[in-house]
Amino acid sequence: MSDAGRVLRARTDRRARTFGHAWRSSLQVRVITTTLAIGALAVAAVGLYVGERMRDGLFDGRVEQLLEESARSTAQAQGTFDNSTAQTGIEAQRLLSDVATAQAAGGTGDREVFLLRAPGQTSAISFVQAASDASLFDMVSDPLRLATAEGGQHWQSVEWQVQDGAEPAVMIGQDVTVPVVGTYQLFFLYSLQAEQDRLDFLQRTLALAALALVVLLVSMTWLVTRQAVRPVRRAAQVAERLADGHLDERMEQRGEDEMATLARSFNEMATSLQDQIGRMEELSTLQRRFVSDVSHELRTPLTTIRMAGEVIHASRDDFPPGVKRSAELLFTQLDRFEDLLADLLEISRFDAGAAVLDAESRDVSDVVVAAAEHTFTLAARRGSWLRVEVPEARCVADIDPRRVERILRNLLVNAVEHAEGSTVDVLVGADRNAVAVTVRDRGVGMTADEAAHVFDRFWRADPARARTTGGTGLGLAISLEDAHLHGGWLEAWGRPGRGACFRLTLPRRAGIHLVDSPLPIVPPDDELPDPVITPTQRPRTDPAALPELPDDVPEPQEVR
């Protein structure tokens, strides 16, 4: 393909894409285009019908007139032959020439006349054919001559070649009896160019009228759709402004028609929404302030209780067994109470928009290993194998190490708690734009509905299930907020009896919009048939084939 062809194709493709975008994004363009197409088809159909009717009417009317005229001329010529006194061949020849000349000038318009011997006629006298223009003898076709020989008047449409080109014409023939020589055929050639010119003029006029009608139709459609679409566009703009937080934005009201009613109803709705959002924001502010104030106010009595609890816990060996057990429970629950207060304060900071990201360039693999080291003891106590796989290349990203480690510790603790002694796989991956970490366990799993609610605050899939690790119910909710603070994703997948998988995806640099993750959230082994799982008898997985350690000697294990 030449350069000019490629340029033309590129321009055509660009214009097609531009029109396609306008078609999808503009109601006015769709309505005008549809109206133009339907209007053009309707006008074309009507134009074709009217043009055909005009052509048939002009042609049939003119042919009927010419048939009557040629019949009168033929009768006149036959009368001339009947009244002739020609007795010899020379006189008969002169008679034919005179009749042809007289008939050529005797019509209502220009016409040519031909006198030809009828097919099958013989005579002892040899005669030549007579015509007003001998060069046009070939226009008389054999089928027309044979049809005329059967008797009566016959005609045929022909094409008359003239100096300026071809003209439509009609050839009409009928038998006549000539003295001395017998039966001849008299043919008249009439031009229909005048009717063709009239038809062309009518068709041009009809085409101009059709074009004016289509332009008028499109203009009216554009005007009507513009009047209807402009308020809708204005309403869309106002709605976008409202969605951006400009609650004082309103539509302009004019007149008392349907569009004015739409504007008035829209403004009333916006006012109502503004009032409700204001009340909700005020209520939310009060709630956040209440949670924050309560959390802060509880710090002082909790500190006092903590000090007293530590004193009691230190002297627990001197108490009776029941009091000793109560002192241990008090000490344990105080730790959980402090964790709950810390999480509530963190949640209140997220709700108030006061959470700050202290980002720095760090290798995510180091953060993953640090979080795993804090979980090895719990994994060993729960009988789970914690396997960490990191890539050889550095996975550097701009992150807040404290928040990312908190996310990973929450995910690891949650996985170990629900793994039921199975392997917990931690996989790190990276691509050009993002870094991802997946935490996969093969425990009880969860349904799709449970996965959709797993990040809700204080939510449990099974309310009767105890928190063996002392969780507060806010860990995953805080982890989700931490991920969003980085501009990343935190997603969950699960299937009953097959375990669960959590995926954390973080952008490498601030401002990168994530469109995909380096690691899949659905594990590859999920394509296997459903296994038969007995959670209480599930064997432990040891990739290194090491002997199982006794339960009384827990020892953390790591594979990198």
Side-chain angles (χ1 to χ4, degrees):
M1 182 182 293
S2 63
D3 294 339
R6 285 193 292 269
V7 171
L8 179 60
R9 181 175 181 180
R11 290 179 178 176
T12 303
D13 293 342
R14 184 168 61 253
R15 290 174 181 175
R17 289 193 298 269
T18 302
F19 178 77
H21 175 72
W23 173 270
R24 293 189 300 271
S25 61
S26 176
L27 174 63
Q28 189 173 13
V29 171
R30 291 200 298 271
V31 173
I32 291 177
T33 304
T34 304
T35 303
L36 177 61
I38 296 176
L41 290 176
V43 170
V46 173
L48 289 175
Y49 174 76
V50 174
E52 291 287 336
R53 295 290 295 175
M54 289 192 304
R55 186 192 64 184
D56 294 343
L58 288 173
F59 181 79
D60 294 342
R62 182 57 176 165
V63 168
E64 184 177 354
Q65 179 184 359
L66 294 178
L67 288 175
E68 294 178 357
E69 180 179 325
S70 64
R72 291 194 301 270
S73 298
T74 300
Q76 182 181 1
Q78 185 63 55
T80 302
F81 289 139
D82 293 341
N83 296 328
S84 174
T85 58
Q87 298 294 328
T88 63
I90 295 175
E91 293 176 346
Q93 179 66 50
R94 187 180 300 113
L95 176 62
L96 289 173
S97 298
D98 293 342
V99 169
T101 302
Q103 290 298 325
T108 56
D110 294 339
R111 64 181 180 180
E112 301 294 338
V113 180
F114 308 92
L115 278 167
L116 307 177
R117 183 187 291 275
Q121 293 292 316
T122 59
S123 174
I125 303 174
S126 176
F127 289 96
V128 296
Q129 299 171 338
S132 58
D133 188 349
S135 63
L136 301 178
F137 272 127
D138 293 339
M139 294 185 64
V140 183
S141 64
D142 292 337
L144 180 60
R145 295 191 63 186
L146 293 176
T148 304
E150 295 176 358
Q153 189 182 48
H154 297 272
W155 64 275
Q156 184 181 39
S157 296
V158 296
E159 188 179 75
W160 191 349
Q161 296 294 332
V162 296
Q163 185 177 359
D164 297 335
E167 295 181 357
V170 62
M171 184 78 72
I172 303 174
Q174 193 171 348
D175 287 346
V176 293
T177 302
V178 182
V180 182
V181 295
T183 304
Y184 261 62
Q185 293 179 330
L186 177 61
F187 294 97
F188 297 94
L189 176 62
Y190 295 93
S191 174
L192 299 179
Q193 186 59 39
E195 285 71 21
Q196 182 64 47
D197 294 340
R198 190 178 298 111
L199 179 62
D200 292 342
F201 173 76
L202 293 175
Q203 288 179 340
R204 287 194 299 270
T205 303
L206 183 62
L208 291 175
L211 180 60
L213 181 61
V214 171
V215 172
L216 178 62
L217 182 62
V218 172
S219 301
M220 293 175 59
T221 304
W222 177 82
L223 181 61
V224 172
T225 54
R226 183 171 181 268
Q227 293 177 349
V229 169
R230 283 187 63 185
V232 176
R233 290 178 177 172
R234 178 57 182 162
Q237 294 173 357
V238 173
E240 291 178 357
R241 296 277 294 172
L242 289 173
D244 291 338
H246 303 278
L247 301 180
D248 295 330
E249 196 75 15
R250 296 293 184 270
M251 288 184 63
E252 184 178 358
Q253 300 183 32
R254 290 183 180 178
E256 299 179 356
D257 56 5
E258 289 81 359
M259 294 304 171
T261 302
L262 171 63
R264 185 168 54 255
S265 301
F266 187 92
N267 292 339
E268 292 175 356
M269 178 191 68
T271 302
S272 176
L273 287 176
Q274 183 179 13
D275 295 340
Q276 293 182 17
I277 291 174
R279 289 194 297 269
M280 292 177 63
E281 288 180 347
E282 183 179 358
L283 178 61
S284 178
T285 302
L286 293 176
Q287 290 177 341
R288 291 195 301 266
R289 185 179 301 169
F290 174 77
V291 173
S292 179
D293 293 344
V294 168
S295 301
H296 281 288
E297 292 299 329
L298 286 177
R299 285 286 185 180
T300 301
L302 180 61
T303 303
T304 304
I305 297 174
R306 160 67 68 182
M307 295 174 60
E310 289 178 352
V311 173
I312 295 175
H313 187 266
S315 304
R316 66 184 182 279
D317 294 335
D318 300 332
F319 300 150
V323 178
K324 178 181 179 181
R325 178 58 179 164
S326 298
E328 293 175 349
L329 290 176
L330 175 63
F331 187 81
T332 303
Q333 293 303 315
L334 281 175
D335 290 337
R336 184 175 179 183
F337 195 11
E338 285 186 336
D339 293 338
L340 178 59
L341 280 179
D343 289 346
L344 286 175
L345 285 173
E346 189 69 18
I347 284 290
S348 66
R349 280 192 286 268
F350 280 119
D351 291 342
V356 179
L357 189 69
D358 187 11
E360 60 182 74
S361 182
R362 286 287 298 273
D363 189 349
V364 177
S365 299
D366 295 339
V367 181
V368 172
V369 172
E373 289 175 350
H374 285 86
T375 319
F376 280 142
T377 302
L378 175 64
R381 188 168 64 249
R382 297 283 294 172
S384 294
W385 179 272
L386 188 60
R387 179 170 53 194
V388 180
E389 297 182 10
V390 298
E392 296 180 359
R394 289 169 55 84
C395 303
V396 179
D398 292 340
I399 61 173
D400 186 337
R402 180 182 65 85
R403 294 184 183 276
V404 174
E405 183 175 352
R406 181 168 62 186
I407 295 173
L408 296 174
R409 290 178 66 178
N410 280 327
L411 297 181
L412 289 170
V413 169
N414 183 74
V416 169
E417 183 178 356
H418 296 84
E420 296 190 343
S422 63
T423 300
V424 176
D425 292 324
V426 182
L427 181 62
V428 182
D431 60 13
R432 179 178 178 181
N433 297 319
V435 177
V437 182
T438 59
V439 179
R440 168 76 194 283
D441 69 79
R442 295 171 176 80
V444 295
M446 55 185 173
T447 63
D449 183 64
E450 292 171 347
H453 295 282
V454 73
F455 297 107
D456 294 348
R457 301 174 183 180
F458 300 107
W459 183 85
R460 292 184 185 181
D462 183 6
R465 184 181 179 91
R467 298 190 187 273
T468 59
T469 58
T472 64
L474 295 174
L476 291 179
I478 294 176
S479 299
L480 182 64
E481 297 292 344
D482 283 333
H484 289 170
L485 195 62
H486 283 82
W489 301 337
L490 183 57
E491 303 160 284
W493 170 91
R495 205 176 264 193
R498 294 188 178 180
C501 181
F502 288 80
R503 180 176 67 181
L504 172 65
T505 308
L506 301 174
R508 281 184 175 267
R509 297 290 180 270
I512 295 179
H513 179 67
L514 296 179
V515 295
D516 198 3
S517 180
L519 297 176
I521 191 171
V522 180
D525 58 356
D526 185 57
E527 302 297 331
L528 299 176
D530 293 341
V532 178
I533 298 176
T534 306
T536 56
Q537 300 178 359
R538 186 180 181 90
R540 299 178 183 177
T541 304
D542 189 346
L546 297 176
E548 291 187 357
L549 297 175
D551 293 338
D552 57 344
V553 188
E555 200 171 309
Q557 304 175 31
E558 175 184 5
V559 176
R560 292 192 62 188

